[in-house]
Amino acid sequence: IRLPKEELLEYEGKIIELLPQASFKVLLDNGNEIRAVISGKMRKARIRILTNDRVKVAISPYNLTLGRVTYRF
């Protein structure tokens, strides 16, 4: 029996700090601050992310403090 995956929560936010190893501190639009890593597709396409960029972040419902940057506006 295969159970469906939990849905990812998607939020928009702003990069407020660059951290080592392609990690970022992101301030979400709802006021929460999380740590996020860049997704593999964005890393492969060499998309640069800088401070104050607007991004879309996917967050697992199991750990609400860690996310993955999936899109840069």
Side-chain angles (χ1 to χ4, degrees), residues 13-50:
K14 186 171 96 171
I15 303 289
I16 55 175
E17 190 180 336
L18 304 177
L19 301 172
Q21 298 165 353
S23 300
F24 308 94
K25 219 177 247 186
V26 180
L27 180 64
L28 301 177
D29 289 345
N30 62 13
N32 292 341
E33 198 175 291
I34 65 163
R35 207 178 107 236
V37 296
I38 189 168
S39 72
K41 282 188 177 182
M42 290 182 70
R43 196 179 296 198
K44 193 173 177 183
R46 294 199 171 127
I47 294 175
R48 296 277 175 238
I49 298 178
L50 302 171

Side-chain angles (χ1 to χ4, degrees), residues 7-13 28-30 34 55-61 64 67-71 73:
E7 285 296 311
L8 293 175
L9 308 171
E10 291 215 325
Y11 294 102
E12 290 182 15
L28 301 177
D29 289 345
N30 62 13
I34 65 163
V55 292
K56 188 186 290 182
V57 181
I59 303 173
S60 166
L64 299 174
R68 179 181 296 129
V69 177
T70 56
Y71 189 80
F73 293 104

